[in-house]
Amino acid sequence: MMIFNIGQEIHEARKKRKVSQAQLAKALGMSRTTIGQIENGTVQEIGVRKLIRVLEYLGLELRIRQAGSPPTLDELREEEKR
C-alpha cells in the first residue's frame, strides 16, 4: 500500500472518530502540518514508529503481505464494508 493510500485511510478513520488534525497532532506530539502531509501522501519522511502511533490512535493496523498476492477473503470483506 502506498503512502497515499495509507493517508486516505488515516483521513477517513480520523473523520469517523470526529477528531481534528490539530487534536490528533496534539495527542501524539506531532505538528498538524505533519498529520496533513501524511493524509495527503505528501510527507517527505515519516518514521515507522510515528506512523504506527497514528494508526494505533485511530484503531488501525498495518498489514504486510507478499507483493502481487491476491487479496485474502478478509481483505475482500473489508473492502465491501466501505
Side-chain angles (χ1 to χ4, degrees):
M1 188 181 264
M2 297 172 67
I3 192 69
F4 181 75
N5 300 100
I6 293 170
Q8 286 181 317
E9 294 291 331
I10 289 170
H11 175 80
E12 289 174 19
R14 181 180 59 75
K15 288 292 191 180
K16 282 181 187 175
R17 285 164 179 76
K18 296 183 170 122
V19 175
S20 71
Q21 286 182 345
Q23 290 169 319
L24 179 59
K26 184 176 181 179
L28 298 176
M30 297 180 189
S31 72
R32 193 217 50 82
T33 301
T34 298
I35 299 298
Q37 289 175 339
I38 293 169
E39 290 184 0
N40 294 323
T42 59
V43 67
Q44 294 297 314
E45 296 269 339
I46 183 166
V48 173
R49 288 186 184 133
K50 279 186 180 180
L51 181 59
I52 290 172
R53 284 182 29 225
V54 172
L55 295 172
E56 286 177 347
Y57 185 91
L58 296 171
L60 301 173
E61 65 182 26
L62 188 60
R63 294 185 186 178
I64 299 173
R65 64 180 170 93
Q66 189 69 32
S69 296
T72 65
L73 184 57
D74 288 339
E75 289 170 337
L76 291 172
R77 286 181 178 149
E78 192 64 33
E79 284 295 318
E80 284 181 4
K81 291 179 185 178
R82 295 179 198 176

